[in-house]
Amino acid sequence: MSTVPIEPLLHHSHLRHNSRIYRVTRGFVPCSLNLRSHFTCNKLHSIGSTVGPGMSLGFRSSKHRRSVAIRASSSDTAVVETSQSDDVVFKEKFPVQRIEKAEGKMYVRMKQVKEKNWQMSVGCSLPGKWILHWGVSYVGDTGSEWDQPPEDMRPPDSIAIKDYAIETPLKKLSEGDSFYEVTINLNLESSVAALNFVLKDEETGAWYQHKGRDFKVPLLADVPDDGNLIGAKKGFGALGKLSNILLKADEPGAKVQEKSKSSSDSTKERKGLEEFYEEMPISKHVSDDNSVSVTARKCPETSKNIVTVETDLPGDVTVHWGVCKNGSKKWEIPAEPYPEETILFKKKALRTRLQRKDDGNGSFGSFSLDGKLEGLCFVLKLNENTWLNNRGEDFYVPFSISSGLPVETETAQASGNTPEAKQEVIDTAVTDEIITEIRNLAIDISSHKNQKTKVKEVQENILQEIEKLAAEAYSIFRSTTPTFSEASVLEAEADEPEIKISSGTGSGFEILCQGFNWESHKSGRWYMELKEKADELASLGFTVLWLPPPTESVSPEGYMPKDLYNLNSRYGTIDELKDTVRRFHDVGIKVLGDAVLNHRCAHFKNQNGVWNLFGGRLNWDDRAVVADDPHFQGRGNKSSGDNFHAAPNIDHSQDFVRKDIKEWLCWMREEIGYDGWRLDFVRGFWGGYVKDYVDASKPYFAVGEYWDSLSYTYGEMDYNQDAHRQRIVDWINATSGAAGAFDVTTKGILHVALQKCEYWRLSDPKGKPPGVVGYWPSRAVTFIENHDTGSTQGHWRFPGGKEMQGYAYILTHPGTPAVFFDHIFSDYRSEIASLLSLRNRKKLHCRSEVKIDKVERDVYAAIIDEKVAMKIGPGHYEPPSESKNWSLVVEGRDYKVWETS
Amino acid sequence: MEVSVIGNPQARICRAELAYRELGFRFGSQVISPDWRNRVSFLSQSSKWKEIGIRCSPRSVKCGAIVSGEVPFLKSTPKSRSLESVKLFVGLPLDTVSDCNNVNHLKAITAGLKALKLLGVQGIELPIFWGVVEKESAGKYDWSGYLAVAEIVKKVGLKLHASLSFHGSKNPDIGLPDWVAKIGEAEAGIYFTDRYGKQYKDCLSFAVDDVPVLDGKTPMEVYGGFCESFKSAFSDYMGNTITGITLGLGPDGELKYPSHQHDAKTSGAGEFQCYDKHMLSALKQYAESTGNPLWGLGGPHDAPAYDQQPHSSSFFSDGGSWEFQYGDFFLSWYSSILTSHADRVLSVASSAFSGTGVSLCGKLPLLHQWNKLRSQPSELTAGFYSSNGQDRYEGIAEIFAKNSCRMIIPGMDLSDEHQAPESLSSPESLLAHIKTSCKKQGVVVAGQNSSAPVPGGFERIVENLKDESAGIDLFTYQRMGALFFSPEHFHAFTVFVRNLSQFELSSDDQAAEDETKTVGIGSGTGAASLQAA
């Protein structure tokens, strides 16, 4: 199944721009367009009245106020035609984006220009913004880490990435060239043993590796072969069958052309270096922009609604549709007759195949429907696996006045940002609808005949509720089931006393410190450096420290684990790690290990040359890899979550995998002394498995990273983020509350509230905090920054200069706050220290009660447990003085915190 | 006269007489209630399970005659069988209600029921134990625990199928009522007894059915009182939430002798359980009446012991006693007791529950072990036999038909390939056999799985349900519990449900049951499932 949403589910704020909401003059119902400009689309220009980017049109309202329920997103431009004729009830052109796989090839060439002057070139035939991300290994280097190449090897437009890599763009040497290319002059005088690189497409953010690893071009004979060598076949006798993980799996088209040249003219130490040329197929997903025009007319004679659908999508297009009655957007089946080529699908929807246009460009169809109906909902089906919808929602064609809600939504948003109006409307309509309709769509797909293969994916998307409930039932049953023979075999630990099963959520008074940033691996002795800070962190008031991922990893930061039992990493050795953990225990700080369970880098390739066989103590085979990422040819089940595409995703539904992971976690608990876990990318697998792991390893504290996008409308963050926090809560629920989760919702809302001075966002319609912390505070781990969002990566950085407002919020509010390392050792240190000390002194905890005292545009104020008051924002606030004596304890830029004396 | 129609919700029933005739023809549905003196039921194959109770004037008696004048149990098989018509039920744990009438794991059950509802499961089977309800003294019923469960089921919007169990269970440990056990201490003859004198205390002997051994009442009278009490206690649920009732017919609720006593794992074919006082005296009487008084002194002397292979001694071997006159004499008698027990219980129940709009069921065992032997010894020790090589199940099916009762056959998940070859077992062929017998007698078959998950079980169930000739439209999956909700199993179950039935976006039932309109399915994320920690 691939529903192709027109908006990516995960997006960072930079994707959202250029969108505005327009006020439209009377008589027009506003229609706002969310404009993005990822790809240019020329086709759209050809139709109707073209509107430039950043403009919007309204629908002319004839006799009735008309519902414009469609939010369309456009790639570059969007065209909305307003018809003057009265019988046209609705006319709209929706852009749709179709993802297509483009295939091309890349090559790696080694060439001798002169004696001792060798060049390596990498080229790629696919269009894109290609970057060669590369580094070198020096003689004597062990392991898979990179170093920066000598200066003279760097092409002029290279950029150094940290201290181990270079990024050089690929360019077309001339316009007519079919390849984008980069050439590196090799310095054979230096002690460079090999070149390592990956190819990166900046357009899509995709990384292209070789058999699951970096490409490695050996310049010496004794470069260890991990299976990813290029061009070494004859010279160094290592090259096997070629393959590339992101390329075609079995490499039918791979050509290896090697021109063997006498090696007598090479220098002695470079003996065996040969010219070679290798080509590999490469593919990328390119989006293709098409459009769908919909016109609805009321036929005055028959009072029927005639809807015509026209599209320039190539191939067979099927409209999967239903009609709406009675103000609901529930799909219903209309009375017959149906258009030609219509079949009834599972009593849920109708399917009509559109007729091909005579000129071959696209297809069209027309639907004649009863005049009493309120609207037509549809999605487009291109083939079994490709569906198109309208930005995650069904296309909706309203026929008449009655569906009022969406109109009000639009009006409310266009006519001013009063929070009250927004909250009512959005609450009832927008977010619910989006979710419902995505789900409806997914359900329709799931009920399709080939459902069996898709069940797992769909489960994760739609059936979270069911799973949550089942997980809950499971956990209670297993703890109370007395002696059912079959059950007791399965659940050996079922009869242990329940007290032992730690909730994984600590004492409630925890304060987390994230003990690293994206650069911490650089020194190679991070554990030792951190160890020295133990006393300091303890005296600041932290109770829990989160350490970086400890395992051997393909990337130096540790998030691409390979051998889980090898705990020597860029951060230090296993002994240093143990030492550090011991030190922190001595000062009373619990230590969390960063467990990356979603994916694991392979050690060996399978018979097709795909890297999906593991080595080390956990020598799993491809049954441990999920089946739905074709690049890794896993033989496991479909993933129970989202896929992380850079490495084989682990199939947690396999008993042996779970058994091994549980064993590993227990080993880490015992061997290293970890007290708990920070779980990486838990979107990748079902929360029920996390519960299993938590139950088995009995951590003192566990927190999962469930990071997906907040809801936006027209590029503006929605006030109501209930759907977003519900997804996080759903995950926590799937773990049966065994683990907490980072409160991404709170961070996101703080971003906008602080940046745009919209402090009203900080109270939800019920007067509670709008993040996860307002739903389930004891499981919310609040934070404002981490190694991904901030540090040197800056994927989603907290508004600069406003960090202290963020800390004034999370360090006074319920939930378990986490402070980022960079902030502790910055100018903010003393302010953070005062807030930490206040939190500990006043015994605020994860379930503290928060009473929001003031929410206005420019100020948010709250009283926590009746003993701490705080305000953030430039606006004025004083805590009510009648009942208590408040004394100001901390004050900084745009925030104040008081305590009762 | 009362007519209850279990029919298609779309059917407009304006006038009972008309509708009556219409339904009979239009749906061609299984008319399984020949008890037309006072009740006629229609069971259509609609996937919706709605009841419309109609009261007819006496004039409609004529119509009753019309229907019964047609071939009563002729079943019109739908041409293509869609699995959407199969109603799926899931069994609650046996210990749902504890013997002190508490609801065990209430929270888990509530969560589980919601999950099942969202998944599209139609109903829940609730095992109700005699030993829990009428625990302390005769005629004193305490339904509170079960009523609480029924209420939850109703709120969640599921249907309920009640299994009235007149047997006890070892695991969980639920015995017969205390007062019955007390009688049993003094009067050991009320229990099944094997030839070693070992009693089976989880079920009363079939021979005492009509003997006033329970404080002057016969077990049948007591069972009848139990049924009546159930009916009045659950009157609010009858016919709406409660759509079916299974009557316990013997050990483990199944119609059989406890031929293995407690240890079903032994390799043998089980032993005859005819050594209690009442059985022996009945045997003696029968022997005398058939002119073979010497045969009435005890059971077969050459039958193998529990742990012996069936063919290790002469009774069951080819050309053994079972094929001769004595064998026929004994086995006919032994099985007739079983058959008449079934008849008694089912008629007690069908008179108790007539007119309530619920369908009645009884469960048979699937005695597939050793059924590749000609003698099929497991079936013989359990009481299934027919003279002259006739169909052993047809007589039973006839009893079910007579009482307009569905037959539940378990073991629908078993396949031959997963049986140990040495057990000479073929669950598939036995199942097919029983289904054929039922079809001949017009008995509707309902399915169950065996109690523990088996490899390939779900696939096998689906195959069975797809089988057009059997027309199974009710399947009860056993049983909820830790194993059921374990990630591995629940995933497999979810897949199974999806294969079975369309995932209902919004079932018609839902309108009434707002509770289930929780997150997601068809209604948005409205209900944030909050947990105040």
Side-chain angles (χ1 to χ4, degrees), chain A residues 151-206:
Chain A
E151 287 285 349
D152 55 355
M153 274 174 68
R154 304 181 192 178
D157 43 2
S158 301
I159 305 160
I161 302 296
K162 302 167 192 170
D163 60 348
Y164 62 87
I166 292 291
E167 288 197 340
T168 313
L170 276 69
K171 285 178 184 157
K172 280 195 179 177
L173 296 179
S174 67
E175 262 311 301
D177 272 6
S178 55
F179 280 93
Y180 293 84
E181 198 183 64
V182 64
T183 301
I184 295 166
N185 288 310
L186 302 179
N187 175 351
L188 299 179
E189 303 297 327
S190 68
S191 56
V192 172
L195 276 176
N196 306 305
F197 67 91
V198 293
L199 205 54
K200 179 175 153 190
D201 183 6
E202 291 241 296
E203 246 173 38
T204 60

Side-chain angles (χ1 to χ4, degrees), chain A residues 632-672:
Chain A
F632 296 107
Q633 299 180 2
R635 286 198 298 130
N637 293 312
K638 300 269 171 172
S639 174
S640 55
D642 296 338
N643 270 339
F644 174 80
H645 289 289
N649 283 30
I650 300 304
D651 178 10
H652 293 265
S653 70
Q654 303 285 352
D655 291 339
F656 70 93
V657 169
R658 284 208 307 285
K659 182 180 148 285
D660 283 348
I661 289 179
K662 286 185 228 173
E663 225 173 84
W664 176 65
L665 291 171
C666 292
W667 175 78
M668 298 244 288
R669 290 271 277 134
E670 276 170 38
E671 188 68 18
I672 308 303

Side-chain angles (χ1 to χ4, degrees), chain A residues 659-712:
Chain A
K659 182 180 148 285
D660 283 348
I661 289 179
K662 286 185 228 173
E663 225 173 84
W664 176 65
L665 291 171
C666 292
W667 175 78
M668 298 244 288
R669 290 271 277 134
E670 276 170 38
E671 188 68 18
I672 308 303
Y674 282 126
D675 302 286
W677 317 117
R678 178 267 181 188
L679 299 160
D680 185 57
F681 199 76
V682 294
R683 277 173 60 210
F685 51 104
W686 178 45
Y689 299 134
V690 170
K691 164 153 180 58
D692 225 20
Y693 300 143
V694 169
D695 283 354
S697 60
K698 301 185 177 56
Y700 176 78
F701 192 94
V703 53
E705 178 207 30
Y706 193 100
W707 181 9
D708 69 358
S709 170
L710 279 78
S711 326
Y712 295 79

Side-chain angles (χ1 to χ4, degrees), chain B residues 158-393:
Chain B
L158 287 161
K159 298 301 177 192
L160 186 67
H161 188 110
S163 296
L164 305 181
S165 309
F166 299 113
H167 62 275
S169 144
K170 278 282 161 283
N171 197 356
D173 188 7
I174 299 171
L176 295 184
D178 293 350
W179 60 277
V180 174
K182 214 168 163 191
I183 291 168
E185 275 167 33
E187 163 63 53
I190 63 168
Y191 296 126
F192 285 112
T193 308
D194 65 11
R195 62 174 151 168
Y196 316 106
K198 202 173 158 219
Q199 292 164 345
Y200 179 79
K201 292 189 176 176
D202 280 333
C203 189
L204 296 180
S205 166
F206 299 152
V208 299
D209 276 357
D210 283 331
V211 183
V213 289
L214 301 178
D215 292 342
K217 284 191 174 177
T218 68
M220 283 306 135
E221 285 165 355
V222 172
Y223 295 170
F226 188 83
C227 291
E228 289 294 343
S229 171
F230 173 80
K231 188 171 77 173
S232 63
F234 287 81
S235 55
D236 289 351
Y237 302 96
M238 282 294 187
N240 45 66
T241 298
I242 298 177
T243 56
I245 295 173
T246 299
L247 278 305
L249 296 176
D252 306 324
E254 297 174 348
L255 180 63
K256 66 182 179 189
Y257 284 94
S259 49
H260 281 281
Q261 289 243 4
H262 304 305
D263 201 355
K265 291 239 166 66
T266 45
S267 56
E271 295 208 38
F272 295 107
Q273 311 285 325
C274 59
Y275 297 87
D276 66 75
K277 193 173 92 185
H278 300 277
M279 284 293 272
L280 285 174
S281 88
L283 176 61
K284 190 159 176 265
Q285 233 179 329
Y286 178 73
E288 283 163 2
S289 71
T290 52
N292 292 300
L294 290 177
W295 285 352
L297 301 177
H301 66 283
D302 54 352
Y306 290 117
D307 56 353
Q308 282 176 329
Q309 299 277 304
H311 33 64
S312 65
S313 58
S314 60
F315 191 86
F316 295 124
S317 48
D318 281 358
S321 315
W322 71 278
E323 292 195 81
F324 290 91
Q325 210 187 346
Y326 167 73
D328 183 52
F329 156 82
F330 176 77
L331 294 169
S332 300
W333 166 77
Y334 189 66
S335 64
S336 71
I337 302 271
L338 183 82
T339 314
S340 49
H341 172 72
D343 193 13
R344 283 190 205 106
V345 177
L346 294 181
S347 24
V348 162
S350 76
S351 65
F353 295 116
S354 67
T356 52
V358 296
S359 61
L360 293 187
C361 306
K363 186 178 175 189
L364 252 61
L366 191 72
L367 301 155
H368 56 87
Q369 287 228 322
W370 304 112
N371 72 337
K372 285 181 184 162
L373 286 177
R374 269 187 56 234
S375 57
Q376 298 172 330
S378 294
E379 293 170 63
L380 295 183
T381 56
F384 292 88
Y385 176 75
S386 183
S387 290
N388 309 322
Q390 284 170 354
D391 182 354
R392 293 172 178 186
Y393 291 93

Side-chain angles (χ1 to χ4, degrees), chain B residues 437-464:
Chain B
S437 308
C438 285
K439 199 178 174 191
K440 263 191 229 158
Q441 294 293 334
V443 173
V444 183
V445 173
Q448 269 187 24
N449 54 320
S450 47
S451 55
V454 294
F458 287 120
E459 290 80 356
R460 184 74 200 125
I461 294 171
V462 169
E463 279 171 41
N464 269 314

Side-chain angles (χ1 to χ4, degrees), chain A residues 352-610:
Chain A
T352 305
R353 205 172 68 203
L354 295 182
Q355 284 172 279
R356 294 288 191 89
K357 282 189 202 161
D358 292 338
D359 60 3
N361 293 326
S363 35
F364 67 98
S366 118
F367 303 78
S368 165
L369 298 165
D370 192 320
K372 287 176 199 139
L373 297 170
E374 282 166 14
L376 170 78
C377 297
F378 69 94
V379 293
L380 297 174
K381 177 169 170 283
L382 299 189
N383 57 43
E384 285 313 315
N385 297 320
T386 313
W387 297 72
L388 294 176
N389 57 17
N390 181 24
R391 241 183 95 208
E393 294 186 38
D394 300 341
F395 294 97
Y396 179 63
V397 184
F399 296 150
S400 61
I401 49 166
S402 46
S403 50
L405 262 185
V407 178
E408 284 164 34
T409 308
E410 313 283 340
T411 316
Q413 287 187 336
S415 61
N417 287 333
T418 51
E420 292 80 9
K422 279 199 149 190
Q423 87 206 28
E424 268 174 34
V425 174
I426 300 174
D427 204 26
T428 47
V430 182
T431 45
D432 280 5
E433 260 167 37
I434 291 169
I435 299 299
T436 310
E437 284 171 21
I438 289 172
R439 285 180 178 182
N440 288 355
L441 182 67
I443 287 165
D444 277 341
I445 292 163
S446 79
S447 56
H448 191 263
K449 283 199 178 101
N450 295 329
Q451 58 186 320
K452 212 169 166 182
T453 54
K454 298 299 174 195
V455 159
K456 283 238 167 149
E457 279 170 42
V458 175
Q459 268 177 343
E460 188 60 24
N461 294 337
I462 324 151
L463 305 181
Q464 276 184 350
E465 177 70 9
I466 292 173
E467 289 184 336
K468 189 189 83 192
L469 291 164
E472 189 186 339
Y474 175 50
S475 66
I476 307 171
F477 270 127
R478 57 185 281 192
S479 59
T480 55
T481 300
T483 48
F484 276 90
S485 51
E486 72 260 21
S488 55
V489 174
L490 192 86
E491 303 301 335
E493 76 268 60
D495 36 7
E496 280 182 32
E498 204 161 0
I499 305 148
K500 271 194 172 176
I501 300 170
S502 162
S503 68
T505 51
S507 67
F509 293 91
E510 311 301 343
I511 303 176
L512 249 74
C513 164
Q514 176 172 7
F516 63 99
N517 61 27
W518 197 245
E519 303 298 311
S520 300
H521 62 87
K522 272 184 174 173
S523 66
R525 52 186 302 279
W526 182 249
Y527 293 141
M528 291 295 102
E529 288 170 25
L530 202 58
K531 187 182 150 194
E532 287 159 24
K533 297 193 158 68
D535 282 322
E536 198 176 346
L537 291 172
S539 67
L540 280 168
F542 290 106
T543 65
V544 178
L545 174 78
W546 158 21
L547 285 182
T551 60
E552 177 197 20
S553 163
V554 170
S555 66
E557 296 86 8
Y559 287 102
M560 299 284 273
K562 194 169 155 193
D563 179 357
L564 299 187
Y565 279 94
N566 178 358
L567 299 191
N568 297 312
S569 67
R570 282 255 176 143
Y571 298 103
T573 65
I574 180 167
D575 294 323
E576 290 168 344
L577 173 59
K578 285 188 200 172
D579 206 27
T580 306
V581 171
R582 220 173 294 128
R583 178 80 190 102
F584 277 94
H585 284 170
D586 287 346
V587 299
I589 291 181
K590 309 268 185 196
V591 179
L592 303 186
D594 199 324
V596 184
L597 300 178
N598 175 67
H599 51 270
R600 182 179 166 202
C601 297
H603 290 69
F604 311 105
K605 54 197 171 179
N606 67 4
Q607 70 278 7
N608 299 330
V610 170

Side-chain angles (χ1 to χ4, degrees), chain A residues 330 346 348 432 435-436 439-440 443 446-447 451-452 455-456 458-459 462-463 465-470 472-474 476-478 480-481 483-484 486 490 655 658 686 689 726 729 733 775-776 778 847, chain B residues 84 93 95 105 107-109 111-112 114-115 118-119 171-172 451 481-483 485-488 490-491 494-495 498-499 502-506 518-526 528-531 533:
Chain A
K330 210 170 97 178
K346 296 257 182 189
K348 297 282 180 224
D432 280 5
I435 299 299
T436 310
R439 285 180 178 182
N440 288 355
I443 287 165
S446 79
S447 56
Q451 58 186 320
K452 212 169 166 182
V455 159
K456 283 238 167 149
V458 175
Q459 268 177 343
I462 324 151
L463 305 181
E465 177 70 9
I466 292 173
E467 289 184 336
K468 189 189 83 192
L469 291 164
E472 189 186 339
Y474 175 50
I476 307 171
F477 270 127
R478 57 185 281 192
T480 55
T481 300
T483 48
F484 276 90
E486 72 260 21
L490 192 86
D655 291 339
R658 284 208 307 285
W686 178 45
Y689 299 134
Q726 185 65 50
V729 166
N733 256 322
Y775 266 5
W776 199 349
S778 68
R847 297 175 179 84
Chain B
E84 291 178 32
D95 63 343
H105 17 252
K107 254 189 94 178
I109 287 174
K114 283 183 186 163
L118 291 177
L119 200 56
N171 197 356
S451 55
L483 180 69
F485 286 112
S486 65
E488 305 82 354
F490 194 73
H491 273 234
T494 311
V495 174
R498 296 290 200 70
N499 286 339
Q502 174 80 269
F503 195 81
E504 289 289 322
L505 240 182
S506 52
T518 46
V519 178
I521 313 303
S523 59
T525 48
S529 36
L530 305 186
Q531 302 212 345

